[in-house]
Amino acid sequence: MSRAAVLESTDEAVAGIEDGSTVLVGGFGMAGMPFDLIDALIRQGAKDLTIVSNNAGNGDVGLAALLAAGRVRKVVCSFPRQVDSYVFDALYREGKVELEVVPQGTLAERMRAAGAGIGAFYCPTAVGTPLAEGKEVRTIGGRDYVLEYPIKGDYALICAHRADPMGNLVYRKTARNFGPVMATAATTTIVQVDEVVPLGGIDPEAVVTPSIYVDRIVAVESRRYTVQGAR
Amino acid sequence: MTTDATAVAGPARTAGAPVTADRPLSMDEVAAVIARDIPAGAYVNLGIGQPTKIADHLPEELGVVLHTENGMLGMGPKAEGDRIDPDLTNAGKVPVTELPGAAYFHHADSFAMMRGGHLDICVLGAYQVSERGDLANWHTGRPDDIPAVGGAMDLAIGAKNVYVMMKLFTKSGAPKLVPQCTYPLTGVGCVSRVYTEVAAFELRPDGVHVLETYGTTVDELRSRLDVELH
């Protein structure tokens, strides 16, 4: 893995994302959602995308805007249905987007496995439920587990608080969520940050995502949204 | 075994006096009952919806540490006004606050914490619970309903104790504590207690025990439920 590139614009950051790519998109609802990278991806034009994210968009921004632009073939997520997920809801009901629902922890662990070189793993979540149908079940030490496979991304689009020029990252509060896991699980990891600090500006003891996982960094004037009263 | 109008606390009851109420409880009162049964210092996850009310009844000196699936221990109350930070929300995406001693971590760690059996208690809502502790709370199964599971299945099989907070009957009067769930399952044999507006139940290997009743009797519950009550 070569050293991370610090880029001037979000358009440069998302250059080269191919049609049909699997893109891991960070965020839990609006927190940690890489809004600026998604806007750039909409301008970039890649289509037929498989999006892996916790949710399926809120309001008209971020993932919802990408969905509304008709660029997404399939969504892999844990919780598509929210008070303000009307863009996804309509596309799904019209049969215009495919949905794979994955338990949230299994979603995270499948990406962790991809990043950690694990071929598959036995997971106790979803045993005996519709989400385990068709999957191998194995009894280990008297308990049943479902065989789950890694989810590898061609690209990860994530949002961190701060990067150094090497690509070391720190996050902010619960906006960390899927970022560190997705960074490990994609061939190319693209990060939007609030600021790039000089080398040595991040305490090595406090680095959350080490630079080896990061390919492209862009600093943005980040917009943040809250979803008051959402579920 | 309880056979008359006065249900008594079972031997596994953790703390506090039985609630005596001659009327059904409000869900806020049910939240208070559950809070009473959470031991000091416990690590607890409160599910989205009704269970979040429980936090209002946990006195600070009890030292209960709240976990939120989106990567935090030591979650404080809902944020208001200037304290709202878009980077700090709970599992319901509502802005919250952090308490001294809080910690942030990423999603794989957050769910390793659940799945690995490190949380003492989680409290979830439910469509149905079976007498053997099967939980149905993620999907109605209706064809027009978009399925969304979130962290429900991970919590159901992960926490050391899974409590359910729900109304005992649907709006049309159908029991939600049932011999067998008809809704799609979230987890198998995972629920140990069910707290409702008319009674609290403990699900043990030998069956369903009534811990307390509120404005009803065990005999009356027997007549309205299809499960055997001890």
Side-chain angles (χ1 to χ4, degrees):
Chain A
M1 181 61 56
S2 57
R3 293 269 295 266
V6 180
L7 302 167
E8 290 301 313
S9 72
T10 53
D11 292 308
E12 288 173 81
V14 301
I17 296 182
E18 304 86 358
D19 292 352
S21 296
T22 294
V23 184
L24 316 179
V25 179
F28 183 88
M30 305 266 199
M33 174 70 60
F35 290 105
D36 302 83
L37 292 176
I38 293 170
D39 286 350
L41 181 58
I42 293 169
R43 290 193 296 273
Q44 192 261 10
K47 58 183 192 296
D48 208 21
L49 301 171
T50 294
I51 297 295
V52 183
S53 194
N54 187 61
N55 302 109
N58 304 81
D60 296 301
V61 294
L63 269 188
L66 186 69
L67 282 157
R71 306 291 169 70
V72 181
R73 183 181 68 79
K74 180 179 180 183
V75 172
V76 181
C77 76
S78 85
F79 208 85
R81 186 189 65 225
Q82 300 174 89
V83 286
D84 57 354
S85 61
Y86 46 84
V87 172
F88 172 82
D89 298 358
L91 289 170
Y92 177 75
R93 294 208 159 103
E94 290 165 23
K96 289 182 176 161
V97 64
E98 196 184 326
L99 171 66
E100 179 183 346
V101 172
V102 180
Q104 198 171 144
T106 302
L107 187 68
E109 193 65 13
R110 287 175 66 186
M111 288 187 279
R112 200 198 70 80
I118 302 296
F121 59 97
Y122 285 100
C123 181
T125 306
V127 167
T129 79
L131 296 189
E133 274 167 21
K135 294 182 176 176
E136 180 188 327
V137 174
R138 183 158 166 180
T139 308
I140 303 169
R143 191 178 190 191
D144 287 347
Y145 296 81
V146 179
L147 184 63
E148 296 285 358
Y149 290 92
I151 298 175
K152 181 149 180 65
D154 298 306
Y155 295 89
L157 305 185
I158 63 171
C159 175
H161 181 42
R162 209 172 270 151
D164 69 14
M166 294 284 292
N168 292 305
L169 305 178
V170 291
Y171 299 80
R172 210 173 154 269
K173 303 183 185 283
T174 57
R176 179 182 307 198
N177 58 66
F178 282 91
V181 181
M182 289 179 171
T184 70
T187 307
T188 301
T189 293
I190 306 168
V191 191
Q192 71 169 66
V193 295
D194 296 324
E195 60 173 337
V196 178
V197 299
L199 211 55
I202 297 176
D203 178 358
E205 295 281 10
V207 169
V208 176
T209 293
S211 63
I212 192 168
Y213 297 118
V214 175
D215 298 284
R216 304 177 194 173
I217 303 155
V218 60
V220 298
E221 193 72 39
S222 195
R223 292 160 298 152
R224 290 194 161 86
Y225 304 86
T226 55
V227 200
Q228 277 282 18
R231 73 178 294 273
Chain B
M1 297 299 107
T2 305
T3 53
D4 60 20
T6 314
V8 295
R13 194 101 179 144
T14 50
V19 167
T20 51
D22 55 6
R23 54 172 176 78
L25 305 181
S26 68
M27 290 316 275
D28 196 49
E29 290 169 319
V30 175
V33 170
I34 298 171
R36 177 204 61 190
D37 286 355
I38 294 176
Y43 283 80
V44 176
N45 184 298
L46 302 176
I48 289 172
Q50 300 273 11
T52 56
K53 290 174 193 249
I54 296 163
D56 300 337
H57 300 280
L58 293 170
E60 202 182 322
E61 58 271 22
L62 204 59
V64 169
V65 180
L66 295 182
H67 171 266
T68 183
E69 68 188 15
N70 50 320
M72 182 186 196
L73 284 168
M75 179 175 65
K78 196 174 156 183
E80 307 281 358
D82 290 349
R83 299 194 71 194
I84 290 175
D85 180 340
D87 285 346
L88 180 47
T89 71
N90 66 13
K93 283 116 187 167
V94 175
V96 291
T97 51
E98 73 182 30
L99 297 176
Y104 297 108
F105 32 83
H106 63 65
H107 247 82
D109 278 351
S110 184
F111 281 78
M113 232 171 253
M114 285 182 198
R115 220 189 286 108
H118 303 281
L119 290 177
D120 296 303
I121 295 168
C122 79
V123 186
L124 300 169
Y127 295 133
Q128 289 176 325
V129 177
S130 84
E131 59 187 333
R132 286 177 306 282
D134 296 348
L135 171 67
N137 77 347
W138 73 286
H139 187 23
T140 61
R142 287 194 295 265
D144 62 336
D145 191 8
I146 299 174
V149 67
M153 288 187 181
D154 309 271
L155 275 172
I157 58 87
K160 286 177 196 155
N161 296 284
V162 176
Y163 297 170
V164 160
M165 173 181 180
M166 68 177 191
K167 294 224 161 159
L168 188 54
F169 302 97
T170 65
K171 285 189 182 114
S172 58
K176 295 168 69 178
L177 179 59
V178 292
Q180 192 140 13
C181 295
T182 53
Y183 282 74
L185 290 187
T186 307
V188 176
C190 54
V191 177
S192 57
R193 281 193 195 167
V194 179
Y195 292 88
T196 76
E197 79 286 19
V198 288
F201 304 90
E202 189 154 82
L203 312 186
R204 300 184 197 157
D206 67 339
V208 180
H209 292 251
V210 182
L211 299 178
E212 291 176 349
T213 57
Y214 319 113
T216 186
T217 65
V218 176
D219 282 338
E220 198 178 330
L221 289 172
R222 280 202 180 99
S223 71
R224 296 187 68 189
L225 296 175
D226 294 328
V227 301
E228 197 186 332
L229 299 179
H230 296 280

